[in-house]
């Protein structure tokens, strides 16, 4: 595991910058190719929080559930969906069969940390399944992780 020359924080900058830059366009499409990257309304969202949680779990050999619950509780107003908020309230006991894109949005640290395609596919499934245990939620995370890898 982790044989890359870049420091893990460096690898997270792109994911977090993209989240912050896109935050003000999340519910309103931007059609201007010359848009301002950062504005006063730009902010980090649940995607940044949970990406960092996944990285923390990998780097510190913690469980994904433990790290995700901890970070989500630290940043409760980051924009989580209703099912995720209920999952947090129940200590992340059982996945809720989501097939949404949340598992794909937080998976980039897996792509960086693991060496082989098999490891990336296996670990992205593990990171997704804590909430997004529907086959489509898992496939979404695996697709993104493999593309980044």
């Amino acid at each position: 595991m982790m044989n890359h020359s870049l420091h893990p924080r460096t690898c997270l900058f792109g994911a977090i910058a993209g989240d912050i830059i896109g935050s003000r366009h999340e519910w309103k499409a931007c059609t201007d190719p010359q848009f301002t990257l950062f504005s006063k309304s730009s902010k980090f969202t649940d995607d940044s929080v949970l990406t960092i949680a996944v990285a923390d779990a990998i780097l510190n050999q913690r469980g994904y559930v433990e790290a995700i619950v901890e970070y989500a509780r630290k940043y409760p107003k980051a924009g989580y969906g209703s099912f995720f908020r209920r999952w947090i309230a129940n200590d992340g006991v059982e996945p809720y069969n989501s097939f949404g894109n949340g598992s794909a949005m937080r998976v980039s640290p897996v792509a960086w940390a693991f060496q082989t395609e098999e490891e990336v596919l296996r670990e992205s499934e593990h990171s997704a399944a804590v909430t997004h245990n529907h086959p489509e939620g898992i496939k979404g995370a695996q697709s993104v992780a493999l593309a980044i890898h």
Side-chain angles (χ1 to χ4, degrees):
M1 183 168 91
M2 290 190 265
N3 197 9
H4 298 281
S5 61
L6 291 176
H7 191 280
R9 286 184 296 224
T10 305
C11 297
L12 294 176
F13 289 159
I16 294 168
D19 180 44
I20 294 168
I21 292 165
S23 65
R24 64 192 184 108
H25 304 290
E26 191 161 349
W27 303 111
K28 187 173 109 180
C30 177
T31 58
D32 179 6
Q34 300 298 318
F35 68 92
T36 303
L37 291 180
F38 297 99
S39 74
K40 289 182 182 195
S41 61
S42 299
K43 61 184 177 162
F44 70 88
T45 74
D46 57 329
D47 297 327
S48 288
V49 172
L50 300 181
T51 296
I52 294 167
V54 168
D56 183 352
I58 293 167
L59 290 170
N60 295 299
Q61 299 178 354
R62 301 172 62 198
Y64 290 116
V65 171
E66 175 191 355
I68 289 171
V69 168
E70 177 187 318
Y71 276 82
R73 286 183 174 161
K74 240 184 226 184
Y75 300 95
K77 298 187 187 285
Y80 309 103
S82 60
F83 289 120
F84 186 84
R85 286 193 309 270
R86 276 184 283 216
W87 181 80
I88 293 300
N90 289 311
D91 296 325
V93 175
E94 293 291 326
Y96 52 90
N97 204 35
S98 177
F99 55 86
N101 69 356
S103 60
M105 298 301 288
R106 67 183 185 227
V107 78
S108 60
V110 170
W112 175 84
F114 294 90
Q115 298 300 304
T116 67
E117 288 183 11
E118 294 80 20
E119 289 174 322
V120 169
L121 290 171
R122 181 191 69 240
E123 217 41 49
S124 57
E125 178 177 358
H126 293 313
S127 75
V130 299
T131 54
H132 293 64
N133 60 325
H134 187 281
E136 297 303 314
I138 291 170
K139 285 182 207 172
Q142 289 177 317
S143 297
V144 170
L146 204 52
I148 293 168
H149 180 73

